[in-house]
Amino acid sequence: MQPDELRRRVVTDILPRVQTPGQYLAGELNAVAKDHAAVRGRLCLAFPDAYTIGMSHHGLQVLYHLMNRRDDWLCERVFTPMPDMEALLREQGLPLYGLESFTPLGQFDVVGFSLQYELCATNVLTMLDLAGIPLHAAQRTLDHPLVIAGGPVVANPEPMAALIDLFALGDGEEALPAICDGWIKHRDSAGNRTEALKRMAAELPFAYVPAVHGDGPSIDSFEPRPSGCGDDSLASNVQPPASNIPIITPAVVSDLETVPLPTRPIVPYIECVQDRITLEIMRGCPGRCRFCQSRPLKHPIRFRSVETLIAAAIESYHNTGYNEIGLLSLSTSDYPYFDELLRRLFAEFRPRGVSISVPSLRVNEQWRTVAEKLNTDRRSGLTLAPEAARDELRRHIGKRLSNDDLLAGCRRAFECGFHRVKLYFMCGLPGECEADIDGIIELSTEIARLGRDVIGRWPTVVANVSNFVPKPQTPFQDEPMRRRDYFEQVHHRLRSTKKPRAVQVKIHDLETSLIEAVLARGDRRLSQAIEQAWRAGARMDAWNDRFQPALWWNAFEQCGIDTESILHQCRGADDARPWRHIAVNR
Ligand code: SF4
């Protein structure tokens, strides 16, 4: 179908009948629409979640502008249509399309998925299916786009191995242009898709091509070890796999200064999760938290200069009109020029009424000194991630924070006018005992009492408790996940323990965590289960109100997935990991 005809049909026959039609049209401020006939290659960045989520993702804006800056490529966007839109596209027999031009997704050269969360897997299938692209990589020909994926889920690509042609490991700014150019070159010369993919796999050390690299490791044959056997060695998972798969190593931007910030970010017409200028000040984190997957995936630590950041902030402000600037990093406190950056940002933007928000600030001496300077909306409150309630467990999981620092930081926040504190904890951590669970309520209560003493009335303290999933590529990757009944007891204990009304406990859904863990830790056989769950109706699984866990458990059973061993057996050897050919720990 021609783009103009598709646009006419969507606008007249579909958009009047869907909720929030603005999410299915482009034309926003700073969106780039190029002539398809005037470029060599056409890329569509596919975010497997709703527009409102995807448009808040900084990486999407970075890669979109990076590729559109090139004269020989164009880059468009596509997001997962909500179920009402999906139903209408199917009813009308219309394909999913790139927002900027209404070009059917199947007509692009490359479709690049950003896999931020395991539970977005079925959204990938929805998008491929609506595009008319075969779900299985093995069924695609040279007439179909190259389907690639990057993002944190690639820490273990095996569960989606049958669905994706090529996984890109590492920094997208480095990997994406090389993959796009490689595809055009090899597609046009190789004669068939397998040969083109083979050449790309041989050429790009950060590209994992399941069809070429052969069957990935399976978790069938490992010997379980007793619990508590986590391996902390950062280099431990870069052993060669037993099969012939080579070690895939990440693409790395060695100098962050060479990667321009997107100073003309697209400004959506509809409200998104985050509507602000984002400045990525650094990449990587010096922390050693043993549960953390972000650190190894974003390693090594790299910084942008203050000059670069100030110039980008001013340019972005003029190009967007946003009244908030958010600093992005895993650990802002570790940015070496933090004080200078804040001073210059305040000097530049305070007179213009632009606020500066600083997430990921560690509660330490620095926090005590900057709390009053931040223009953070005090009603939205202070967010802190102690992860565990007691210093002892925190030391065990590698989290650099003491309760003394935490309480001192909260005192400072209350003195600065904050009335609300949000705390993020995990339960089910290795080494956790009853005192750690009770400690969550005790610490939250102590902070609430501190607030009452400082501000003269009870503040609101919200303790968000998530269920620990031992993720691939982390020092805890070989730990078993705690069992369902353990989590149920912990949740009951947290809910039933007496606490002041000022303290609220919010507990993450257990079914979501268990299924996330299966998808994070399993092997290639999960591709079939993902498809099975999708065919049974699983959609938008990351959304609590749409998530149907029964579909997933049925799919695992029908596909013979041994969820018991994936979740609960302690992996004892490198060759027990389905992701052992992926080497992110540099
Ligand atoms: S949890 Fe945060 S501080 Fe700890 S290693 Fe990960 S990114 Fe760094």
Side-chain angles (χ1 to χ4, degrees), residues 80-99:
T80 309
M82 298 303 286
D84 60 345
M85 179 69 171
E86 181 190 346
L88 285 166
L89 286 169
R90 290 187 191 285
E91 178 198 291
Q92 300 286 320
L94 298 177
L96 193 61
Y97 52 89
L99 292 187

Side-chain angles (χ1 to χ4, degrees), residues 285-289 291-292 294-295 330-331 387 398-400:
C285 175
R288 306 288 287 186
C289 304
F291 56 85
C292 175
S294 301
R295 178 196 181 277
L330 290 174
S331 182
E387 315 291 1
K399 181 82 188 178
R400 294 178 295 174

Side-chain angles (χ1 to χ4, degrees), residues 44-284:
C44 195
L45 291 177
F47 199 91
D49 208 324
Y51 174 97
T52 51
I53 311 284
M55 283 306 295
S56 305
H57 183 63
H58 179 65
L60 181 100
Q61 301 261 11
V62 170
L63 297 178
Y64 178 82
H65 290 287
L66 179 89
M67 291 305 290
N68 273 324
R69 256 192 293 271
R70 290 181 51 164
D71 291 335
D72 56 344
W73 274 85
L74 64 74
C75 179
E76 301 196 6
R77 296 161 291 154
V78 64
F79 303 88
T80 309
M82 298 303 286
D84 60 345
M85 179 69 171
E86 181 190 346
L88 285 166
L89 286 169
R90 290 187 191 285
E91 178 198 291
Q92 300 286 320
L94 298 177
L96 193 61
Y97 52 89
L99 292 187
E100 278 75 0
S101 66
F102 280 78
T103 299
L105 191 56
Q107 293 179 18
F108 282 80
D109 299 300
V110 179
V111 173
F113 282 97
S114 170
L115 301 179
Q116 298 297 314
Y117 182 37
E118 290 81 0
L119 284 175
C120 291
T122 52
N123 293 346
V124 172
L125 294 184
T126 301
M127 296 168 81
L128 290 175
D129 190 54
L130 285 172
I133 299 171
L135 302 186
H136 299 171
Q139 291 168 355
R140 294 175 201 141
T141 70
L142 280 181
D143 293 333
H144 296 113
L146 178 72
V147 178
I148 64 172
V153 172
V154 181
N156 174 18
E158 288 304 313
M160 297 192 70
L163 314 170
I164 301 293
D165 295 317
L166 183 153
F167 293 94
L169 191 61
D171 293 324
E173 298 97 329
E174 197 74 17
L176 187 62
I179 292 169
C180 288
D181 289 336
W183 178 242
I184 297 295
K185 181 172 84 177
H186 296 307
R187 181 194 64 184
D188 295 346
S189 64
N192 63 63
R193 191 173 180 97
T194 307
E195 180 56 29
L197 287 170
K198 247 186 215 164
R199 293 181 188 178
M200 292 186 67
E203 214 169 83
L204 306 171
F206 49 80
Y208 173 48
V209 184
V212 172
H213 289 130
D215 277 352
S218 135
I219 58 169
D220 270 345
S221 58
F222 70 87
E223 290 293 318
R225 282 199 301 176
S227 65
C229 58
D231 183 349
D232 270 11
S233 160
L234 278 179
S236 65
N237 64 346
V238 292
Q239 312 280 330
S243 62
N244 289 331
I245 303 180
I247 296 294
I248 312 296
T249 52
V252 181
V253 170
S254 47
D255 182 359
L256 212 48
E257 287 281 86
T258 61
V259 179
L261 282 152
T263 52
R264 301 186 72 88
I266 302 167
V267 182
Y269 288 124
I270 63 173
E271 191 179 341
C272 289
V273 175
Q274 283 177 5
D275 290 314
R276 62 183 178 213
I277 294 164
T278 300
L279 292 180
E280 189 195 25
I281 61 171
M282 61 186 273
R283 204 171 285 181

